[in-house]
């Protein structure tokens, strides 16, 4: 998603400097006309830094690690933090950056790699009005919709957590429903056609089941992502003394898929748990990584 967003910003005329520790990612970005660097510290001259990484640990490394950028940014600069993190982490991060004279938007995103590349993400953001004003050209270029949810860090991440609870549950449920249909002897394509025109449909069912039908588990969003995100839901619920039993059940399915070796495959590969448990037959494409 990071490269897609960087390219979308670049194509809309913004002066973009990409950063990735992976040389292959930098080469791919530069092949499409972008400029890139290998360490966050090299972004110090940027007035706005968009952090679009996997988890809180990577956010910490980008901003405060040995080659972190935060301590090198000019006072008054802006960090747009887009990773899915715990609300408590987002609140603490906002306070730490404010103490350094930096502004932050807590701005997690939804839409996946395709929407990132086309500049049509949904952004769930919170922060000071002045931060929104400064971020406007960037947000306009990367997002179809920007939700302004509040003036303080943590609100955006709280909303993203609600979204990830639903997304993870819907993917796990879609996999279970397809597995049941296949075990009942129904044609998988027919199950898809009927459900997508019936009350049981969901956006995730409609979007992810085609991966199953094609047997293509090339990761657009990986099983490992939902192990992380549903665990954040679980941990936050525990902090709030708020039970999340349905999300907890979905988390166990993703953990099972990860344990079976499918963690780096597309999140639709959670259906392979049912394949192992009940022996259902799944279509296998020629390029299926098969437990990589």
């Amino acid at each position: 998603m990071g490269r897609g967003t960087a390219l979308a910003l670049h194509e809309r005329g913004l002066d973009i400097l990409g950063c990735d520790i992976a040389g292959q990612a930098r080469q791919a970005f530069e092949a499409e006309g972008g400029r890139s660097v290998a360490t966050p510290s090299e972004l110090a001259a940027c007035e706005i830094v968009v952090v679009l990484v996997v988890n809180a640990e990577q956010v910490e490394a980008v901003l405060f690690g040995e080659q972190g950028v935060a301590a090198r940014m000019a006072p008054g600069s802006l960090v747009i933090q887009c990773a899915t993190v715990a609300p408590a982490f987002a609140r603490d991060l906002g306070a730490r950056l404010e103490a350094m004279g930096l502004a932050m938007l807590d701005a997690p995103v939804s839409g996946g790699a395709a929407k990132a590349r086309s500049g049509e993400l949904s952004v769930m953001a919170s922060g000071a009005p002045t931060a929104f004003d400064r971020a406007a050209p960037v947000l306009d270029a990367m997002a179809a919709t920007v939700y302004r949810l509040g003036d303080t860090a943590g609100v955006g991440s709280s909303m993203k957590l609600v979204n990830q609870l639903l997304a993870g549950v819907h993917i796990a449920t879609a996999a279970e429903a397809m597995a049941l249909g296949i075990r009942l002897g129904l044609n998988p394509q027919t199950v898809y056609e009927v459900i997508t025109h019936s009350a049981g449909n969901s956006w995730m069912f409609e979007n992810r089941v085609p991966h199953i039908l094609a047997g293509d588990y090339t990761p657009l969003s990986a099983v490992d992502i939902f192990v992380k995100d549903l665990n954040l839901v679980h941990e936050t619920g525990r902090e709030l003394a708020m039970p999340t039993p349905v999300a907890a059940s979905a988390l166990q399915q993703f953990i099972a898929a990860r344990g079976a070796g499918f963690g780096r495959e597309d999140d639709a590969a959670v259906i392979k748990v049912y394949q192992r448990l009940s022996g259902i037959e799944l279509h296998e494409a020629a390029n299926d990584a098969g437990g990589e």
Side-chain angles (χ1 to χ4, degrees), residues 108-165:
V109 298
S110 181
K115 293 293 187 181
R117 182 63 185 85
S118 63
E120 296 178 300
L121 291 169
S122 292
V123 180
M124 309 164 208
S126 61
T130 53
F132 274 104
D133 290 343
R134 292 198 59 198
V138 175
L139 296 176
D140 288 346
M142 67 186 282
T145 308
V146 178
Y147 295 98
R148 297 182 62 155
L149 302 171
D151 295 342
T152 58
V155 183
S157 287
S158 295
M159 183 60 72
K160 181 61 185 295
L161 215 58
V162 173
N163 181 79
Q164 294 309 91
L165 183 157

Side-chain angles (χ1 to χ4, degrees), residues 66-285:
E66 184 176 346
Q67 294 294 326
V69 67
R72 297 171 170 87
M73 295 175 71
S77 298
L78 173 66
V79 173
I80 304 177
Q81 199 302 102
C82 298
T84 301
V85 299
F89 177 86
R91 289 191 292 270
D92 178 69
L93 182 63
R96 292 163 69 189
L97 291 173
E98 183 179 6
M100 299 171 69
L102 304 175
M104 186 186 98
L105 275 186
D106 176 23
V109 298
S110 181
K115 293 293 187 181
R117 182 63 185 85
S118 63
E120 296 178 300
L121 291 169
S122 292
V123 180
M124 309 164 208
S126 61
T130 53
F132 274 104
D133 290 343
R134 292 198 59 198
V138 175
L139 296 176
D140 288 346
M142 67 186 282
T145 308
V146 178
Y147 295 98
R148 297 182 62 155
L149 302 171
D151 295 342
T152 58
V155 183
S157 287
S158 295
M159 183 60 72
K160 181 61 185 295
L161 215 58
V162 173
N163 181 79
Q164 294 309 91
L165 183 157
L166 289 166
V169 166
H170 288 171
I171 293 168
T173 303
E176 185 169 296
M178 286 303 298
L180 176 62
I182 294 168
R183 187 68 179 84
L184 287 167
L186 298 173
N187 180 284
Q189 183 66 48
T190 301
V191 173
Y192 177 73
E193 291 176 3
V194 172
I195 295 302
T196 54
H197 293 86
S198 302
N201 191 32
S202 69
W203 190 93
M204 282 298 187
F205 185 96
E206 193 162 346
N207 184 266
R208 295 306 202 266
V209 171
H211 304 180
I212 297 170
L213 297 175
D216 185 357
Y217 299 97
T218 303
L220 300 180
S221 176
V223 165
D224 281 343
I225 295 295
F226 278 97
V227 172
K228 172 186 74 78
D229 289 358
L230 288 175
N231 194 52
L232 285 177
V233 171
H234 173 72
E235 291 177 349
T236 302
R238 183 174 59 190
E239 292 170 4
L240 298 171
M242 166 76 191
T244 54
V246 178
S249 180
L251 171 60
Q252 292 305 311
Q253 292 302 104
F254 283 104
I255 290 173
R258 181 180 190 175
F262 308 129
R264 296 177 64 185
E265 295 190 22
D266 188 79
D267 48 37
V270 71
I271 196 172
K272 295 183 180 182
V273 174
Y274 296 97
Q275 183 183 37
R276 293 199 169 191
L277 291 174
S278 62
I280 60 172
E281 291 187 10
L282 298 175
H283 177 72
E284 295 186 10

